[in-house]
Amino acid sequence: MLIATWNVNSVRAREERLLRWLENHQPDALCLQELKAPEEAFPFDAVREVGYEAAVLGQKTYNGVAILAKTKPEDVELGFGDDIDDPQARCIAATVSGIRLVCVYVPNGSTVDSDKYTYKRLWLDRLVTYIEERELTADPFALLGDYNIIPEARDANRPDEWEGSVLFNPEMRDRFGELLGLGLTDAFRQCRDEDGLYSWWDYRQLGFPKNNGLRIDHILVSADLVERCTDARIDRDERKGQKPSDHAPVLVEIDWP
DNA sequence: ATGGTTGTTCAACAA
């Protein structure tokens, strides 16, 4: 079973690339972030024509998440379902082939002294509560998405330039560790230990040609899946050519069922 | 160099 996550940075601007990518890679499930479109603008028909059903939580202009799969996503849950009124579309969950998939677009946080960073912290608190209350780590479970967290220095080309930022500081590293503490494992690192592997490059300053990137898109998996992870990769070829997203897809192969 | 690029919506915001 091949599962993947990709921040597409507008599903409308990326529709053709998305369709070609699905045809070429044939993942069993793909989690998308930053649709930047309401549900009614999602290309359900075009996606169905290449063999995928979609569960979508859309939002006008910002955010928006979706889970695409070759079989219809089951038991879809939109948002955290907690008592906080939050208009930002950043979390969607569904079951595919008996694996609970949670697709997240973690807030960026802007700057550490901003209200947006306060929201990022609160949002991560709510994510931990969401996982705990549903006891998701007890069963086959994967948490995929744009975490907006650099887990370690080796996950940045120039870690010194990011230290202290909203993506890379002691608190955010602790938050990533907290997720691992729930019983999750970074499936990408389970398979790939080398440096220089990134999932995002700035559009500016020749970020991609210089490989000045970050690994901020992650696939964390529960204990019963981690031992079955057979391969992982980042499709950096998708960052090439005309009008790519600033993020590349991250893929994990699991021996399942 | 508080720089540069992309997307959405329409001058500004977010990343």
Side-chain angles (χ1 to χ4, degrees):
Chain A
M1 175 158 177
L2 183 63
I3 62 175
T5 181
W6 186 18
N7 180 324
V8 286
N9 186 20
S10 170
V11 72
R12 284 175 288 184
R14 226 65 65 200
E15 180 174 339
E16 279 310 310
R17 292 190 76 123
L18 170 63
L19 297 173
R20 297 295 86 76
W21 195 85
L22 289 169
E23 287 183 330
N24 291 335
H25 292 82
Q26 297 291 315
D28 294 286
L30 171 64
C31 294
L32 297 176
Q33 303 86 37
E34 283 210 86
L35 303 178
K36 293 187 172 181
E39 182 182 2
E40 56 267 30
F42 188 89
F44 286 100
D45 292 338
V47 161
R48 198 172 291 117
E49 282 171 17
V50 296
Y52 288 85
E53 293 291 330
V56 176
L57 178 61
Q59 183 185 328
K60 179 181 162 72
T61 311
Y62 300 119
N63 310 312
V65 286
I67 297 175
L68 281 51
K70 292 192 173 192
T71 57
K72 188 178 173 66
E74 304 171 313
D75 301 321
V76 176
E77 184 175 12
L78 308 178
F80 285 143
D82 57 15
D83 55 8
I84 295 176
D85 184 30
D86 186 351
Q88 299 195 34
R90 296 181 175 274
C91 181
I92 187 170
T95 300
V96 177
S97 299
I99 301 179
R100 192 64 177 165
L101 303 175
V102 177
C103 169
V104 293
Y105 176 42
V106 178
N108 171 288
S110 187
T111 58
V112 291
D113 61 352
S114 67
D115 291 344
K116 291 188 176 66
Y117 187 66
T118 304
Y119 173 72
K120 181 180 192 176
R121 293 163 149 169
L122 175 63
W123 198 93
L124 287 165
D125 285 341
R126 293 166 66 202
L127 174 61
V128 169
T129 299
Y130 174 93
I131 294 168
E132 287 178 332
E133 286 188 343
R134 289 158 183 75
E135 300 183 53
L136 294 174
T137 57
D139 294 307
F141 162 54
L143 180 64
L144 311 90
D146 178 354
Y147 284 57
N148 272 311
I149 296 175
I150 304 165
E152 301 177 55
R154 62 175 171 159
D155 297 312
N157 186 64
R158 301 178 188 181
D160 47 311
E161 293 184 5
W162 294 93
E163 179 60 51
S165 74
V166 293
L167 304 181
F168 191 51
N169 63 56
E171 180 184 24
M172 284 299 128
R173 290 191 285 272
D174 282 350
R175 292 306 185 93
F176 193 82
E178 186 180 9
L179 291 169
L180 302 182
L182 295 177
L184 294 169
T185 302
D186 184 335
F188 181 80
R189 278 298 181 213
Q190 180 77 7
C191 295
R192 303 246 82 91
D193 196 45
E194 57 266 44
D195 292 353
L197 301 178
Y198 311 122
S199 65
W200 175 90
W201 302 262
D202 202 310
Y203 281 128
R204 302 162 289 186
Q205 308 283 114
L206 299 173
F208 184 70
K210 293 193 285 197
N211 199 29
N212 183 14
L214 305 175
R215 195 175 71 92
I216 54 176
D217 301 274
H218 306 298
I219 300 177
L220 269 48
V221 298
S222 58
D224 31 26
L225 294 186
V226 65
E227 58 199 27
R228 292 168 170 271
C229 290
T230 55
D231 193 23
R233 58 190 180 276
I234 297 174
D235 179 25
R236 67 193 308 288
D237 288 345
E238 175 54 39
R239 186 59 167 74
K240 301 171 181 172
Q242 292 289 317
K243 289 175 74 76
S245 170
D246 45 356
H247 296 250
V250 180
L251 307 91
V252 168
E253 181 79 47
I254 306 173
D255 182 17
W256 187 268

